[in-house]
Amino acid sequence: MGRGTLRIYLGAAPGVGKTVAMLDEGARRLARGTDVVVAFAETHGRIHTAECLAALPAVARKAVRYRDAAFEEMDLDAVLARRPKVALVDELAHTNVPGSGRHERRWQDVEELLEAGIDVITTLNIQHLESLNDVVQEITGVAQRETVPDSVVRAADQVEVVDMAPEALRRRMAHGNIYPSERIDAALGNYFRVGNLTALRELALLWLADSVEEGLQRYRTEHGITDTWETKERIVVGLTGGPEGETLVRRASRIAARTAGGELLAVHIVRSDGLAGPGVAALTGQRLLVESLGGTYHSVIGDDVPSALLQFARSVDATQIVLGTSRRGGLAAAVTGPGTGATVTRLSGPIDVHLVSHDHAGGAGLRLPRLTGGLTPRRRLSGLLVAAVLLPALTVLCTAARSSLDFATDVPLYLLAVVITSLVGGFYPALASAVAASLLLNYFFVAPTHTFTISEPSNLVAVITFLLIAVLVSQVVDLAARRSVQAARAGAEAETLSTFAGSLLRGEQALPALIERVRETFAMNSASLLRHDETTRSWISEAAAGSAPPRTPAEADATTSVDDLELALRGHALTAGDQRVLGAIAAHLAVAYRQQRLAEAAHAAEPLAESDRQRTALLNAVSHDLRTPIAAAKAAVSSLRASEVTWNEAERRELLGTAEDALDRLTELVTNLLDLSRLQVGALPVVPGVVGVDDVVARALDHVAPDRHIEVDVPADLPEVRADAGLLERVIANVVQNAIRHTPPDSPIRIAGSSHQQRVELRVIDRGPGISAEDADAVFRPFQRTDDSHASGDGVGLGLAIARGFTEAMGGEVGTEPTPGGGATFVITLEAAT
């Protein structure tokens, strides 16, 4: 049976209509005869949602009791046993109540349904996406504890945004269609502000646009589509490292800014034929300018600049290309033909090309371009064409001017023609030109003319000498050209490696980003960093970039190995020179990979080191603190059992009270140790809910301070918080116990509550000795006591450490601040329920 399909209704905020949209889709499918059931849906007290839910068949929920409270969760096993065609599952980011099933999160339940071949329709708010968690917190001030990995949502077969304008959503809120009336004013003034809703709406739409873009690129790759589809404005600006670069970048940036979502991409073609000589410093400054304008900088190797530029532009689906007008003068352009701009314009197809004028256009005047570049077949053919045109023209000229010229002047003229041919086409065209020139000299200008016979020995020597000089000069020029090519190639390779090394130095350590840069550098379709697993004898992809990356070296067009790693690229074969550069880059990648593995290992070792430190501290602490209550309880019980002593009723009660107090201290100590162990291994179950702070404070004080007078100033209209009621009670109790322990009996202790934006703060204010700024963080560490003594018999210093651990597990914070007039104030901050 195949895997089921996943459809997600994505919303920017609560109340936009995700659940109703899911239920409506279920009703449409049910009307078409599809087997649809509601696996779980939450109405939140909304009448219209309840009406939609009532019209659909549903699987009974699973009742769960946790910490003396009743909860209802999706019954995963019941849904699997029912095996519907489509299951409707609300709130994909929900955290399951501990003990309710085999998965911690609801998205994991959904994965099991999909693996069973059941189609799932679900809902999700944008703030629950893992990658956007910090962004949402910065916008709203609220940290989201329940998140869904982006990979789960991106793997969905269909994602649909349920959109609503912020003003319309606030009207729904004001009409009571989202929250109860007592929560409307607080919600409108906090989370549901117009600015918040607008930002969240933009996040949802932009995320969906990126997801659609990925799907589009995947579709184009699967169907072999290479034509540009103008779905989004992408402006590619070509940089040579010349002085006009900044002008081009700013012009391209203005073009990209004209449309929402426009992208700016700067590209430099690293040439290997010596024609391009950009300064590294100029390119570095231009790269910084591009990045400051929100664009990205790319470096690509290519012998043919126009083709490499267009190949890059098509690979990123560019819609426009910005180039500078040529810096060559008129004579140079006439001799060498159309430049890069004209060639790109002719071959660009549907991509618009902007040729931007600048102060340096035509600045080269009449200077001829350098002709000592790469000796490609095209260059050699050009040399033969030059010889075919130049030698006949020179022969005609010398024949017409016989009255002014003689054989002594003809020889250097023909020698000049051979040198020009050598400059253009290298040795072999020059050799052919030298032979042809010697024959022309003999036939037209050596007596007897118009024959190949030479009557004078001096003329024979002159022709042979001419031929030898022409060959030798051609050889020297050709060698110089080859050395120029090699130097240019070395410079291009050095520039590529410098750019890549710069990426590492700038902190681009993420392997996927580095692999993407490799793919762009060599203009490949995809790239992978593979590692061979000797255990399974298979290849494992450590990082990949591009569409359809190779999964084994056999699937790649170019590979290079470093130890047990293989860098594989798919797209086209590489030259020997490019392969050498690829090997050097692979060595850099291997170093980055090993650094990443070492960092991961070091990070994984940190909890072990901390656990070892705490274990040592625990052993030091319990040597006294566990024995003290045990010894007190044993002494009291032994005294009661002693037959040689007769105790009266008052003495018996006193001894029993001593034993009870000692056992209570022992129970508290063991409970704290168990809680600390759960915190260290991340096994603390948290069941968040909407909690009234005043009720929790009252329960906490009943347990820890029934006889101590404590002033409580918690307003009745203080917003409720999202927290685990049981854990919050322990937090307050531990902090209050600490205040009682350090505050004289005749000094007051006060608890005050307040709210600010989306946060609720609870302050426990004491009049004890206070906490210095240096110890403000140390007091929350396990086994820490301000006096480092056991005289008080107050345990091993775990109360505040557990209070902080519990609070952070609920998404809150605990800190200290000095009390005016002396003492310490502990501030417990929690997220307000919206």
Side-chain angles (χ1 to χ4, degrees):
M1 179 178 295
R3 178 181 169 89
T5 61
L6 177 61
R7 179 171 182 171
I8 299 176
Y9 284 100
L10 182 67
V16 295
K18 303 180 301 298
T19 303
V20 171
M22 177 188 72
L23 296 174
D24 286 346
E25 177 62 21
R28 283 192 292 271
R29 297 194 184 193
L30 183 65
R32 294 197 299 264
T34 305
D35 184 12
V36 179
V37 298
V38 178
F40 188 92
E42 189 62 65
T43 66
H44 296 290
R46 299 163 191 166
I47 297 175
H48 182 54
T49 305
E51 291 174 349
C52 295
L53 180 60
L56 292 169
V59 174
R61 300 184 182 185
K62 185 176 184 178
V64 181
R65 290 199 64 80
Y66 180 72
R67 292 185 177 175
D68 299 326
F71 299 91
E72 289 185 340
E73 291 287 1
M74 180 178 74
D75 193 335
L76 178 60
D77 291 327
V79 178
L80 291 171
R82 171 69 171 73
R83 297 201 62 80
K85 173 61 178 173
V86 179
L88 309 182
V89 183
D90 204 8
E91 298 181 353
L92 184 64
H94 173 74
T95 300
N96 294 327
V97 174
S100 63
R102 50 186 169 273
H103 299 304
E104 180 184 358
R105 299 294 180 87
R106 184 164 292 164
W107 64 264
Q108 295 170 314
D109 294 337
V110 167
E111 283 293 312
E112 187 167 342
L113 292 176
L114 294 172
E115 290 297 331
I118 299 173
D119 297 342
V120 176
I121 304 176
T122 186
T123 64
L124 179 71
N125 276 332
I126 192 66
Q127 64 263 32
H128 295 298
L129 273 173
E130 180 67 44
S131 65
L132 298 178
N133 187 260
D134 56 340
V135 180
V136 172
Q137 181 177 358
E138 185 176 349
I139 293 171
T140 65
V142 179
Q144 299 292 334
R145 305 295 297 181
E146 297 179 323
T147 59
V148 177
D150 285 48
S151 58
V152 174
V153 185
R154 291 188 183 278
D157 299 274
Q158 186 174 352
V159 179
E160 181 176 336
V161 170
V162 182
D163 189 31
M164 180 174 289
E167 294 78 8
L169 186 57
R170 285 171 58 86
R171 282 197 300 271
R172 290 191 65 184
M173 172 70 73
H175 293 159
N177 295 329
I178 301 178
Y179 288 158
S181 57
E182 63 271 14
R183 297 175 59 188
I184 292 176
D185 290 339
L188 289 175
N190 293 283
Y191 194 89
F192 282 79
R193 295 194 300 270
V194 173
N196 285 0
L197 296 177
T198 302
L200 292 173
R201 184 188 188 198
E202 183 177 5
L203 278 179
L205 295 174
L206 289 176
W207 190 92
L208 183 64
D210 288 341
S211 178
V212 171
E213 180 70 21
E214 289 181 2
L216 176 62
Q217 294 301 330
R218 187 164 52 250
Y219 175 86
R220 284 162 53 86
T221 300
E222 292 172 354
H223 291 77
I225 300 173
T226 58
D227 294 338
T228 300
W229 287 5
E230 298 185 16
T231 57
K232 188 177 185 180
E233 286 291 347
R234 291 183 180 85
I235 314 301
V236 170
V237 54
L239 299 178
T240 65
E244 74 281 1
E246 292 190 4
T247 301
L248 300 182
V249 169
R250 290 191 170 90
R251 180 61 180 272
S253 176
R254 290 196 296 271
I255 295 175
R258 292 173 184 170
T259 58
E263 295 182 9
L264 172 63
L265 301 93
V267 60
H268 169 60
I269 309 299
V270 181
R271 298 182 60 174
S272 60
D273 60 2
L275 291 180
V280 175
L283 280 174
T284 301
Q286 291 163 16
R287 176 184 60 79
L288 294 175
L289 176 61
V290 170
E291 293 174 352
S292 70
L293 294 173
T296 56
Y297 178 86
H298 309 265
S299 181
V300 175
I301 292 178
D303 289 329
D304 186 344
V305 174
S307 297
L309 178 61
L310 287 170
Q311 185 178 9
F312 173 80
R314 293 186 179 111
S315 70
V316 298
D317 230 14
T319 57
Q320 301 182 57
I321 298 175
V322 176
L323 300 172
T325 53
S326 176
R327 298 196 302 271
R328 300 176 304 160
L331 178 58
V335 171
T336 59
T340 299
T343 305
V344 169
T345 303
R346 178 170 54 85
L347 302 176
S348 63
I351 305 177
D352 296 337
V353 179
H354 301 266
L355 293 179
V356 179
S357 181
H358 50 85
D359 294 340
H360 306 279
L366 298 178
R367 185 179 59 196
L368 288 173
R370 292 175 293 168
L371 297 176
T372 56
L375 302 179
T376 62
R378 183 177 178 180
R379 286 288 302 278
R380 297 188 188 281
L381 180 60
S382 298
L384 291 175
L385 292 175
V386 168
V389 172
L390 197 57
L391 291 178
L394 185 58
T395 301
V396 172
L397 177 64
C398 291
T399 301
R402 289 320 298 163
S403 59
S404 303
L405 301 177
D406 57 17
F407 184 73
T409 56
D410 294 337
V411 170
L413 289 176
Y414 276 91
L415 183 60
L416 177 61
V418 172
V419 171
I420 293 175
T421 302
S422 178
L423 289 172
V424 174
F427 176 70
Y428 293 105
L431 178 61
S433 176
V435 173
S438 63
L439 293 175
L440 290 173
L441 278 171
N442 181 17
Y443 188 83
F444 287 99
F445 305 115
V446 175
T449 60
H450 302 104
T451 68
F452 290 105
T453 302
I454 301 177
S455 59
E456 297 291 335
S458 60
N459 290 338
L460 177 61
V461 172
V463 171
I464 293 174
T465 303
F466 165 80
L467 181 60
L468 291 175
I469 292 174
V471 171
L472 292 175
V473 170
S474 300
Q475 181 66 31
V476 171
V477 172
D478 182 77
L479 181 62
R482 291 182 182 277
R483 293 289 183 267
S484 176
V485 169
Q486 293 171 1
R489 178 70 194 185
E493 293 174 1
E495 183 180 346
T496 300
L497 293 174
S498 174
T499 301
F500 193 83
S503 300
L504 293 173
L505 293 175
R506 289 193 302 273
E508 296 181 19
Q509 295 291 342
L511 280 177
L514 296 176
I515 295 294
E516 174 64 22
R517 187 166 288 276
V518 173
R519 185 193 70 79
E520 292 174 347
T521 298
F522 293 96
M524 291 292 189
N525 297 330
S526 59
S528 297
L529 184 64
L530 306 173
R531 177 176 59 84
H532 191 260
D533 190 332
E534 295 295 339
T535 304
T536 61
R537 296 188 178 276
S538 61
W539 290 96
I540 299 174
S541 177
E542 297 291 347
S547 57
R551 292 169 294 181
T552 65
E555 298 178 0
D557 295 305
T559 62
T560 187
S561 301
V562 179
D563 298 332
D564 60 339
L565 298 175
E566 190 90 12
L567 180 57
L569 291 82
R570 174 182 286 173
H572 56 82
L574 295 180
T575 64
D578 289 344
Q579 190 72 34
R580 185 173 60 254
V581 177
L582 182 64
I585 289 178
H588 285 293
L589 278 174
V591 172
Y593 170 75
R594 310 229 183 290
Q595 288 177 342
Q596 177 176 302
R597 294 293 296 270
L598 288 174
E600 291 173 353
H603 182 71
E606 288 177 1
L608 297 177
E610 178 64 17
S611 176
D612 185 67
R613 188 191 68 80
Q614 293 187 3
R615 187 181 298 109
T616 301
L618 173 61
L619 293 174
N620 293 334
V622 298
S623 63
H624 173 86
D625 292 281
L626 279 177
R627 285 201 304 266
T628 299
I630 292 174
K634 187 176 187 303
V637 174
S638 298
S639 298
L640 288 172
R641 296 185 63 213
S643 57
E644 64 273 11
V645 180
T646 302
W647 307 100
N648 58 37
E649 188 62 28
E651 291 171 334
R652 288 175 59 83
R653 285 197 299 271
E654 182 179 355
L655 289 172
L656 288 173
T658 300
E660 183 178 17
D661 290 343
L663 292 175
D664 286 343
R665 291 200 305 274
L666 183 61
T667 300
E668 179 184 356
L669 177 60
V670 172
T671 300
N672 284 337
L673 289 174
L674 290 174
D675 288 337
L676 180 65
S677 299
R678 294 190 186 98
L679 285 171
Q680 287 179 339
V681 300
L684 181 70
V686 179
V687 183
V690 178
V691 177
V693 177
D694 51 349
D695 294 336
V696 179
V697 170
R699 290 199 301 270
L701 295 182
D702 287 341
H703 286 90
V704 301
D707 302 325
R708 178 70 182 260
H709 176 67
I710 296 178
E711 300 177 8
V712 179
D713 182 16
V714 179
D717 59 350
L718 188 68
E720 296 175 316
V721 298
R722 273 191 73 79
D724 184 309
L727 296 183
L728 181 57
E729 183 179 333
R730 287 285 306 281
V731 171
I732 298 173
N734 285 8
V735 175
V736 171
Q737 280 181 329
N738 180 79
I740 293 173
R741 190 175 297 124
H742 294 95
T743 302
D746 56 346
S747 297
I749 296 176
R750 184 168 175 265
I751 300 177
S754 61
S755 64
H756 178 66
Q757 294 183 347
Q758 283 293 105
R759 312 293 280 174
V760 174
E761 294 180 345
L762 191 67
R763 283 176 164 78
V764 179
I765 307 166
D766 67 43
R767 294 292 178 179
I771 300 173
S772 65
E774 299 80 33
D775 295 331
D777 189 63
V779 296
F780 292 103
R781 297 173 187 163
F783 315 112
Q784 297 292 322
R785 286 171 293 192
T786 55
D787 56 359
D788 276 337
S789 70
H790 301 278
S792 61
D794 56 0
V796 292
L798 295 177
L800 293 180
I802 290 172
R804 169 171 279 187
F806 282 5
T807 305
E808 291 179 349
M810 294 184 291
E813 300 173 353
V814 178
T816 64
E817 58 187 38
T819 301
T825 297
F826 286 81
V827 184
I828 304 169
T829 306
L830 292 167
E831 172 191 345
T834 55

